Amino acid sequence: MKTVLIVDDNELVRKSLAASLVTNEVKVETASNGKEGLAMAEQLHPDLLITDVHMPEMDGLQMIEKIREYEWGKKVPIIVMTVDEEASSINKALEAGITVYLSKNTNDPVQVVDQIKTALG
């Protein structure tokens, strides 16, 4: 069974994404900020991480940089899903080694789930 960790400070986003991903082959865990997400990722070593950028306590990019320091974290696919469409934010995320950058503004839920399934393999 594959594990997906969703890190987003918006409860509705976490719940709707989790509901669309849960199957017999996928277990979904959630965290409400980067600090909590990092702690859960260190414990779970998820098969896929989905994160927002702007969150309290620790933002998504800081969390990604810390995760990428671990051997297991260098390989985990990471999807950034955010409303932030600034070129500088996208570039920072790409430099941190993300797999996919999705906009919450322009991607419909079906496209998001398709991207997630592709990243999971």
Side-chain angles (χ1 to χ4, degrees), residues 39-53:
M40 290 182 75
E42 289 170 338
Q43 178 186 355
L44 297 170
H45 297 194
D47 298 292
L48 175 67
L49 178 76
I50 303 166
T51 186
D52 192 1
V53 172

Side-chain angles (χ1 to χ4, degrees), residues 9-17:
D9 58 333
N10 184 318
E11 184 178 3
L12 181 61
V13 169
R14 289 192 314 268
K15 285 184 173 182
S16 62
L17 255 181

